[in-house]
Amino acid sequence: MPALLLGTSSLKTPSLNRRGTAELFEISRRAWLVQSFEADPAALVPKLWQQRLGSSEAPDRWARHGRGTWWLIWLDDGEPLLALPSAPHSSALDLLFADELHRSSFDQLPSLKRREPSVLEQRCLRLLTSGSAVQWQPSGLASISGSLFPALASVSHGCLRVALRGDRLMAEGPVASSPFAALQVHHPERQANFVRFDPPSAYLELNSVSQQLLLGSLFNNSLFAQQLDSR
């Protein structure tokens, strides 16, 4: 996954109210990958901010942003959409596209039927609006997992909070084999798994309701099978 920006600051941060969160939810319904980042005003201004805002506006906007959250949203195979809390009204979003073609394509998308987010979607929105996190659909997972994607069917939908602690990457959140909109956490037979990645010495640790499907897929994958046979 692309690098994360983590840091500390005492500056006031822009935040989204219910209206802004609802806007983020509607956009994320179309996205195959969404990443949220917690800004660090002491760090260098991200290149993408400079490209979308301009070299003169980006540093000032970055400084005023404090430790607020910002988002990268992949809607198609092109450059990601940069989403920021609106400067004059931080309850809404500023959508900064790579170019006018991307903006025009987005504006021409058919309207989605409005609905309230499910319990799991609400949890994911809380993760995406409270710090660094990543949400993916199957096509997004395929783009970052490459040839391993067939082994990851049981986690084809997911949303994880991620954090760096020294040289350790920690992640936690729900994953499932079907869209969160179709799942209810109080139905055990259709429950999402919850992954926690906080390894003291292992490369990856999974704590979930059932790991049989994921582990079975991994060990049956030809890439893993060849390595296991050779060792």
Side-chain angles (χ1 to χ4, degrees):
M1 299 179 185
L4 305 174
L5 295 177
L6 298 175
T8 59
S9 172
S10 59
L11 296 178
K12 183 178 180 181
T13 62
S15 59
L16 296 181
N17 65 4
R18 180 174 176 81
R19 172 190 166 196
T21 303
E23 185 179 0
L24 179 64
F25 172 61
E26 291 304 318
I27 297 174
S28 66
R29 288 174 63 189
R30 301 180 182 275
W32 52 266
L33 188 68
V34 180
Q35 280 191 279
S36 62
F37 302 87
E38 184 180 356
D40 178 3
L44 295 175
V45 180
K47 285 186 177 181
L48 191 62
W49 282 53
Q50 299 182 48
Q51 293 170 356
R52 303 292 170 86
L53 293 168
S55 57
S56 58
E57 181 183 351
D60 180 63
R61 183 78 176 262
W62 179 252
R64 288 187 287 108
H65 194 74
R67 288 193 63 206
T69 305
W70 56 283
W71 301 269
L72 289 181
I73 303 171
W74 279 263
L75 297 168
D76 49 38
D77 293 334
E79 291 293 315
L81 160 67
L82 172 62
L84 305 175
S86 177
H89 305 288
S90 61
S91 60
L93 287 176
D94 283 341
L95 305 180
L96 305 173
F97 294 85
D99 50 46
E100 284 304 315
L101 178 60
H102 283 81
R103 180 183 297 277
S104 176
S105 298
F106 178 80
D107 291 339
Q108 294 175 15
L109 290 173
S111 299
L112 295 174
K113 183 179 180 181
R114 289 192 173 274
R115 62 173 177 81
E116 289 295 314
S118 68
V119 173
L120 283 172
E121 287 174 321
Q122 291 177 37
R123 174 169 180 156
C124 190
L125 282 170
R126 287 194 295 270
L127 295 180
L128 289 173
T129 54
S130 62
S132 296
V134 58
Q135 172 189 314
W136 65 85
Q137 307 287 350
S139 55
L141 182 60
S143 71
I144 59 179
S145 62
S147 58
L148 293 180
F149 178 68
L152 301 175
S154 62
V155 294
S156 58
H157 298 78
C159 188
L160 300 179
R161 173 187 287 124
V162 292
L164 284 173
R165 296 292 182 266
D167 60 352
R168 296 167 62 196
L169 173 67
M170 293 175 286
E172 184 175 10
V175 294
S177 59
S178 54
F180 285 173
L183 300 174
Q184 298 296 333
V185 293
H186 57 274
H187 289 165
E189 71 276 7
R190 303 189 67 187
Q191 188 173 9
N193 293 327
F194 288 85
V195 170
R196 186 169 184 268
F197 178 21
D198 182 8
S201 59
Y203 289 109
L204 176 65
E205 176 183 329
L206 296 178
N207 298 315
S208 65
V209 176
S210 174
Q211 301 184 68
Q212 181 178 356
L213 290 176
L214 174 59
L215 294 179
S217 298
L218 289 173
F219 292 137
N220 289 327
N221 185 278
S222 60
L223 294 175
F224 285 91
Q226 292 173 9
Q227 293 298 318
L228 290 172
D229 290 342
S230 65
R231 299 185 185 186

